[in-house]
């Protein structure tokens, strides 16, 4: 799953540390999400959605297809 978290965070002028504090996670977690090394839980994704004021599917982009290949 790809995401636009880094772009949204930069547009909002929020550091990884500030976002982490607002979400109640570590800065390392934010970095792992931004570098596609970690997919957040649904509750965390929903909190991100509220902070940036966009739907979850505008932050996280589904690259799965029924045949098992990435889109």
């Amino acid at each position: 799953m790809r995401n636009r978290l880094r772009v949204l965070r930069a547009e909002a002028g929020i550091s990884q540390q500030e976002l982490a504090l607002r979400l109640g996670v570590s800065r390392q977690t934010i970095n792992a999400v931004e570098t596609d090394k970690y997919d957040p839980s649904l509750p965390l994704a929903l909190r991100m959605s509220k902070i940036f004021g966009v739907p979850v599917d505008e932050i996280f982009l589904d690259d799965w297809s029924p045949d098992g290949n990435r889109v």
Side-chain angles (χ1 to χ4, degrees), residues 35-63:
T35 56
D36 296 323
K37 293 179 181 160
Y38 174 72
D39 290 332
S41 65
L42 182 56
L44 180 56
L46 290 170
R47 291 195 312 263
M48 290 175 179
S49 173
K50 288 180 183 178
I51 286 173
F52 293 109
V54 297
V56 171
D57 64 350
E58 286 187 26
I59 301 173
F60 298 95
L61 312 168
D62 183 20
D63 60 359

Side-chain angles (χ1 to χ4, degrees), residues 6-57:
R6 181 173 295 182
V7 171
L8 292 168
R9 185 177 56 75
E11 288 174 352
I14 301 172
S15 69
Q16 284 185 343
Q17 183 64 38
E18 182 181 347
L19 181 57
L21 289 171
R22 291 173 68 178
L23 291 169
V25 299
S26 70
R27 185 202 57 79
Q28 290 84 354
T29 297
I30 300 302
N31 182 268
V33 172
E34 288 184 354
T35 56
D36 296 323
K37 293 179 181 160
Y38 174 72
D39 290 332
S41 65
L42 182 56
L44 180 56
L46 290 170
R47 291 195 312 263
M48 290 175 179
S49 173
K50 288 180 183 178
I51 286 173
F52 293 109
V54 297
V56 171
D57 64 350

